[in-house]
Amino acid sequence: MAGHPLAGFFRRDVAALARAAVAGRPERLLVRASTGAPGWAAVPWVAWFAPHVTRSMRHGLYVACFVNAPDERIVLSLQHGAADALREHGHDAGLRHLRDRAARTRDGLPGHGFDTRPIALGSDATLPQGYQAGCVLSRSWDAAAPDPDGFDRALIRMLDLYRALV
């Protein structure tokens, strides 16, 4: 996978586009994109991190864009990190913990204009289940007919909410 052209394109070019999308923001954001390591991820992602909060999708609050390949959807999400919660609490208790954290965070964001229903990432794997449970707010698009302008506006609005929280 390390030398696969699609993985390189995603890590390099998608991450560069994501960096360019936030270049003019007042806060510093780290941007990372992944198709998985060491193997292919069940759900590829690109994420924006406030470095004083987290630098990883393992823990903390961040904004992510997930690729739900089976359903051909792109999902933008204000997200609590899943991996550490699942490791610390176990699978079922970790999912409950993540849902509770997401609900508490969501309660502090009235009038946000995003979806509050659970997201679907097209995978029953453990980590995507954690991402689904840790979702605070989201919006999704059909990957075959994305609305780039709508995505840009939604990303900026979600990053504004994120900045206010952290």
Side-chain angles (χ1 to χ4, degrees):
M1 184 191 82
H4 194 281
L6 178 60
F9 166 79
F10 202 83
R11 276 191 233 110
R12 182 187 57 252
D13 299 332
V14 170
L17 288 169
R19 279 185 202 92
V22 299
R25 292 201 53 87
E27 75 276 24
R28 179 175 169 256
L29 295 167
L30 275 171
V31 179
R32 295 203 169 118
S34 179
T35 56
W40 288 101
V43 179
W45 54 264
V46 59
W48 297 264
F49 307 99
H52 67 282
V53 174
T54 188
R55 296 170 176 263
S56 158
M57 288 187 53
R58 298 188 62 78
H59 59 272
L61 190 67
Y62 54 88
V63 173
C65 183
F66 298 105
V67 178
N68 174 339
D71 297 335
E72 297 182 0
R73 306 283 300 166
I74 304 297
V75 181
L76 180 66
S77 176
L78 179 60
Q79 191 68 42
H80 280 285
D84 287 355
L86 294 169
R87 181 183 43 77
E88 290 172 21
H89 301 284
H91 182 266
D92 293 342
L95 294 177
R96 283 191 301 276
H97 173 78
L98 287 163
R99 283 188 207 100
D100 183 55
R101 289 194 78 189
R104 286 194 316 260
T105 303
R106 190 171 29 254
D107 289 346
L109 296 169
H112 49 73
F114 287 98
D115 295 329
T116 59
R117 295 171 298 204
I119 59 173
L121 297 178
S123 173
D124 290 332
T126 299
L127 204 46
Q129 286 182 31
Y131 297 151
Q132 291 170 165
C135 173
V136 177
L137 308 169
S138 69
R139 181 153 305 142
S140 69
W141 291 264
D142 182 341
D147 174 6
D149 294 330
F151 180 86
D152 290 345
R153 284 191 307 274
L155 175 62
I156 288 168
R157 174 70 178 131
M158 192 168 284
L159 288 169
D160 288 346
L161 292 169
Y162 178 50
R163 185 178 68 225
L165 285 169
V166 301

